[in-house]
Amino acid sequence: MSHALDVLYSLGGVASTVALRDRGVDANAVRRAVARGDVARIRNGWVALPEAPPDVTAAVRVGGALSCVSVLRLHRVWLIDDHVLHVRTNRAARHRASPSDRRAPLPATQPGLKVHLTLPSALPREIVFAVDSVPQSVLHAAHCLDRAHAVAALDSILNLGLLSRPALTDLLGGQIGRVAALLPLVDPGAQSGIESLCRLGLHAARIGARSQVQIDDVGRVDFLVGDRLVIEVDGREHHATQAGFAEDRRRDLALAARGYLVLRLTYVQVMYQWGEVLATIRGILRRGEHRWSGRHRRDGLVMGVERYR
């Protein structure tokens, strides 16, 4: 394999001639690789291997780099799949092409494509690489997503260790308006995006809920409301396995033995039936069932077993 192909592979299969030149691949080597059919020109100043990721080559054809949630999804960040290609382009870009044909101009509206103009605070501004960095993508996603889904994504980013809390604060703290206001809502302890959305929904409804509370012989529960109402949120992955299902039931039984009231919510209930969920929780609160009763105390169930983060 030639040096040019080696370098192109190391760059993910798509690269600008500037990036290749900086790594010792001159224009003549690129031309030879194109002439042999080893690589293809996908845009002026950009080449790609035949097996390069389609989303990345499409982003470059448009005239930018893969960015925003399209990049974060590659890092397993929790996101709702919008089936849209997110591309960052520079404000000074003169020509934007179709994601499928570099010779065709980009229509005024292109289904399945969202073009982001490089934010004034984003660094670096120039597009040399085909895929934006995590910080660059996070910055654009914070502006792109609605508040709830932005917070869920930021929770996931911190939980996965893609950014530290100080790094996220440095990145978003200088932004204005709703983006900077996301920071106080972020919780790196959230185990899934659906848990994040539940937390935000409870907060918006002014229902006091402590998250990730440790209970003896049970482990951490997603939320504890009042003294004894435990709310668990079932994501799609862990809870779908046989082992996850069995563990959930063990926990439910242990909680019931200690006098806790368990409300287990599904993905569908949090996403699409939230009004019904809130009505149920409010009914429990109105009846005072979230508090220890005299009977619980007489039965010795109130032992101060919760330990909070």
Side-chain angles (χ1 to χ4, degrees):
M1 183 180 295
S2 70
H3 175 62
L5 296 185
D6 281 339
V7 173
L8 194 48
Y9 268 112
S10 72
L11 292 173
V14 181
S16 65
T17 53
V18 172
L20 291 173
R21 182 195 62 207
D22 290 345
R23 287 158 179 78
V25 179
D26 61 23
N28 289 330
V30 173
R31 281 193 288 270
R32 288 194 296 270
V34 171
R36 290 194 304 268
D38 293 337
V39 302
R41 291 193 185 276
I42 55 174
R43 186 178 176 86
N44 185 35
W46 289 83
V47 294
L49 295 168
E51 64 271 28
D55 282 357
V56 180
T57 56
V60 171
R61 284 195 193 98
V62 168
L66 196 71
S67 192
C68 191
V69 300
S70 292
V71 171
L72 299 183
R73 194 169 288 115
L74 299 177
H75 293 274
R76 296 185 170 274
V77 173
W78 192 95
L79 295 155
I80 297 295
D81 195 349
D82 59 2
H83 304 288
V84 172
L85 182 71
H86 292 254
V87 179
R88 177 178 68 91
T89 68
N90 284 334
R91 296 173 183 271
R94 296 180 179 178
H95 173 66
R96 296 192 180 100
S98 163
S100 57
D101 184 355
R102 69 188 180 100
R103 298 175 184 83
L106 183 67
T109 58
Q110 174 73 46
L113 174 69
K114 184 167 186 178
V115 175
H116 301 264
L117 296 178
T118 301
L119 292 165
S121 58
L123 295 172
R125 296 181 183 178
E126 65 277 6
I127 296 175
V128 177
F129 298 101
V131 178
D132 271 348
S133 67
V134 167
Q136 178 85 280
S137 300
V138 168
L139 184 59
H140 280 273
H143 284 268
C144 175
L145 297 171
D146 64 48
R147 188 186 75 153
H149 290 94
V151 171
L154 295 175
D155 284 355
S156 180
I157 286 161
L158 293 180
N159 189 269
L160 291 169
L162 295 175
L163 288 178
S164 66
R165 186 62 181 258
L168 183 64
T169 300
D170 288 344
L171 185 66
L172 302 185
Q175 302 298 301
I176 60 173
R178 71 172 192 88
V179 172
L182 297 173
L183 285 169
L185 301 175
V186 173
D187 182 357
Q191 300 300 303
S192 71
I194 202 69
E195 181 184 325
S196 300
L197 296 180
C198 182
R199 184 184 78 248
L200 292 172
L202 293 170
H203 177 77
R206 299 183 182 277
I207 295 174
R210 290 158 287 175
S211 60
Q212 295 298 310
V213 177
Q214 180 77 22
I215 297 179
D216 289 346
D217 298 331
V218 175
R220 291 190 183 275
V221 297
D222 292 337
F223 302 102
L224 181 65
V225 178
D227 300 324
R228 60 184 291 265
L229 175 57
V230 170
I231 300 176
E232 295 273 59
V233 183
D234 289 355
R236 286 177 165 176
E237 295 83 10
H238 164 76
H239 303 276
T241 67
Q242 185 174 358
F245 182 89
E247 174 61 11
D248 287 341
R249 271 60 201 173
R250 181 201 69 79
R251 287 160 55 88
D252 289 352
L253 190 63
L255 286 165
R258 288 182 169 271
Y260 288 92
L261 175 63
V262 180
L263 187 61
R264 186 171 290 279
L265 304 178
T266 67
Y267 177 93
V268 171
Q269 286 171 326
V270 174
M271 290 296 298
Y272 307 114
Q273 298 169 3
W274 186 245
E276 298 173 38
V277 170
L278 278 183
T280 300
I281 295 173
R282 283 173 172 148
I284 293 171
L285 300 185
R286 187 173 59 252
R287 295 188 297 270
E289 295 173 11
H290 62 307
R291 298 296 185 191
W292 294 120
S293 68
R295 184 169 54 187
H296 291 128
R297 298 180 190 282
R298 287 193 298 273
D299 289 345
L301 295 175
V302 185
M303 296 181 292
V305 295
E306 303 90 7
R307 296 192 299 276
Y308 308 113
R309 284 191 300 139

